[in-house]
Amino acid sequence: MRDVFIVGVGIHPFGRTDARTGLQQGAYAVRQALADAGVTWGDMQFAYGGSDAAGNADTMVGDLGLTGLPFVNVSNGCATGGSALFGAHNAIRSGEFDLGIAVGFDKHPRGAFNPLPADWSLPDWYGDVGLMVTTQFFAMKIRRYMDRFGITERSLVRVAEKAFRNGTLADHAWRRSPVDAETIANSQMVSDPLTKYMFCSPAEGGVALVLASEKRAQALGGMKVRLRSVAVRSRPAGSFEVFAPMVDIDNGGSATRLASGAAFEMAGVGPGDIDVAQLQDTESGAEIMHMAENGFCADGEQEQWLAEGRTEIGGALPVNTDGGCLACGEPIGASGLRQVYENALQLAGRAGARQVPGGPRLGYSHVYGAPGVSGVAILER
Amino acid sequence: MTQTAIAPIAETLFLAEPVVRLIGGQHRESGRIVFPCPPDDSFEPVPLSPRGTLWSYTVQRFRPKTPPYRGPEAFEPFALGYVELPGEVIVETRIVDVPFEALRIGMPMVATAVPFGADDGGEPRLIYAFTADAITIDQGAEQ
């Protein structure tokens, strides 16, 4: 198996852009990534791309050029971006191709998502009675976690505060203003114990990454960030996931634990080696729980980590340096690739005002979504 | 109109009499119990314990989007959670007749059934729910 490198990155600002469709935002990100890598659309030997709700990625060829390249549409819920990267990574790793692109984009209506039970292998009554709501899951998962491991509401506030603070430093973030602790704590309760400012919102945006073999990356002479591992996993028996009418009595595992373990094993590194991490923060509690599920700390230690500022940009393990989903919003198809985009910039030393000091070498990204799917990527400078 | 005169929201979801019991599915080979019972020969329908303890909970503060939600247009926040039925399975449920601030993980719960008004002008349906288990609280033992 060959090494694979990220040689160019592009992003369409997250948030709301009424004048552009989701597909156009994806194409915008592609053009930027191509320019960043110093290549053209005609140089692309393949593409993997997708969105959850904004159309067929491969129709982008009408806009970008009818070169005849193989363009694989990816549709994998919240792991759409991660799965596009997974496919693109393997296409080069296997030796089949030397240069290609992964793109993810989306455009969602305002408000919470409104999935339909039948699309998720669930009976209609589940949606009828009001249980088909993603925010409920996140609230109940963190409620139990707080009860078991002594996490307080103060920590939920700290995560959101950090997200909005970091977002002010990221050009692509949606929320660019800091929000103080009191405002976060006292904002409208959405699903107890989580308030409005502790939740991310569905949004719009696009991200593209140009990938290359080592030989091609060397020849291009620009950004050269190695993909040490990419892993995507679905849920194991006994896990507690979004849209679950039941949980097994014998529970505990998760899609995240599986993906994390596989990515660390493939990369041959451990959590202690990671210098910067982007962890799925659908809401404040998710970031806290994912710190432990990805192996960075023991359950319950997050309370102290956050109080000490260990996950701040200048801390021991900076987490969600661009403000994460809380500040960027969540265009499902683009969100996982945004995390990888941010890590690539951090490792290349191009993150500007939010640059993690000390020349970070290893970056970790983790995406999670319904119905229990997780993608992890580990990057190395 | 008595509650039992109202049709349940789904067949083979729960028994309304003599006490409300959810219907789970026990895998014929592994013995694993799931809820709801899949329409699948590999699972045998089994009535689940009417009593358990609260595993986690939250309050739905905004009206869920329609579709799929079919509740009344006039929205009142409602509690929901997961109830652990000892040795069986942890089930997701609406929680009724418990003040939001009284909800605690570990509190004893008992199954009940309540009418649920559909928003499309149809007849109300009976849905399962859980409420605080006064008997267990008062007597300190399961009945």
Side-chain angles (χ1 to χ4, degrees), chain A:
Chain A
M1 292 290 182
R2 306 187 306 170
D3 282 344
V4 181
F5 294 81
I6 297 173
V7 296
V9 297
I11 196 163
H12 183 284
F14 280 33
R16 301 248 175 247
T17 309
D18 291 342
R20 286 198 187 99
T21 66
L23 272 160
Q24 287 169 335
Q25 294 181 42
Y28 177 104
V30 168
R31 288 195 173 90
Q32 201 181 83
L34 294 171
D36 190 42
V39 295
T40 67
W41 178 247
D43 295 327
M44 294 300 102
Q45 297 168 337
F46 69 87
Y48 279 82
S51 77
D52 185 64
N56 298 313
D58 65 335
T59 60
M60 250 183 235
V61 297
D63 185 1
L64 294 165
L66 301 173
T67 63
L69 88 171
F71 196 128
V72 179
N73 279 345
V74 180
S75 174
N76 204 6
C78 297
T80 293
S83 298
L85 182 64
F86 178 76
H89 177 235
N90 283 326
I92 293 176
R93 192 163 165 251
S94 68
E96 183 75 13
F97 297 107
D98 285 306
L99 188 65
I101 195 159
V103 57
F105 57 93
D106 242 313
K107 190 178 181 92
H108 304 290
R110 289 164 206 276
F113 297 114
N114 63 328
L116 300 178
D119 294 341
W120 298 85
S121 303
L122 290 166
D124 285 342
W125 64 262
Y126 190 73
D128 290 349
V129 304
L131 298 180
M132 195 87 194
V133 184
T134 54
T135 45
Q136 297 170 352
F137 161 78
F138 292 105
M140 289 190 281
K141 187 176 176 191
I142 188 61
R143 169 62 78 196
R144 182 166 173 82
Y145 195 85
M146 291 165 77
D147 192 71
R148 289 180 72 195
F149 299 112
I151 300 296
T152 66
E153 286 174 17
R154 182 74 193 109
S155 286
L156 298 178
V157 171
R158 283 199 167 104
V159 168
E161 243 187 314
K162 170 174 70 70
F164 295 120
R165 196 162 51 237
N166 290 353
T168 64
L169 306 174
D171 294 337
H172 62 264
W174 183 13
R175 316 286 189 196
R176 303 292 310 276
S177 308
V179 183
D180 63 65
E182 199 182 345
T183 304
I184 293 165
N186 296 328
S187 65
Q188 183 191 355
M189 189 63 80
V190 171
S191 200
D192 310 41
L194 301 167
T195 66
K196 182 180 127 184
Y197 281 110
M198 295 176 188
F199 270 107
C200 80
S201 300
E204 306 171 15
V207 180
L209 308 170
V210 178
L211 306 186
S213 62
E214 180 154 28
K215 189 177 161 192
R216 196 65 192 264
Q218 202 66 43
L220 287 168
M223 174 186 267
K224 196 176 169 213
V225 172
R226 189 191 310 260
L227 267 167
R228 285 286 294 261
S229 61
V230 181
V232 176
R233 289 292 185 278
S234 54
R235 69 189 191 277
S239 66
F240 177 37
E241 315 279 6
V242 185
F243 305 147
M246 59 151 281
V247 183
D248 281 291
I249 296 274
D250 184 12
N251 57 71
S254 73
T256 290
R257 285 187 199 280
L258 292 183
S260 177
F264 277 127
E265 187 181 341
M266 193 190 301
V269 301
D273 299 317
I274 300 298
D275 299 308
V276 56
Q278 317 298 331
L279 306 178
Q280 178 77 26
D281 59 333
T282 315
E283 40 77 30
S284 292
E287 179 173 316
I288 291 171
M289 294 183 285
H290 288 149
M291 286 165 65
E293 278 186 56
N294 286 288
F296 294 110
C297 66
D299 290 316
E301 284 181 358
Q302 300 95 327
E303 188 78 8
Q304 192 182 346
W305 275 50
L306 288 159
E308 292 174 0
R310 295 182 68 160
T311 55
E312 299 287 339
I313 286 172
L317 179 69
V319 172
N320 293 334
T321 45
D322 66 348
C325 293
L326 289 174
C328 294
E330 190 186 22
I332 290 179
S335 207
L337 291 182
R338 173 189 53 74
Q339 300 173 322
V340 179
Y341 167 91
E342 174 65 8
N343 275 342
L345 286 189
Q346 289 287 353
L347 300 188
R350 287 169 46 188
R354 64 183 189 285
Q355 178 65 47
V356 169
R361 187 177 73 86
L362 284 168
Y364 183 99
S365 61
H366 157 258
V367 64
Y368 168 81
V373 59
S374 181
V376 171
I378 298 176
L379 272 54
E380 180 184 32
R381 170 167 54 88

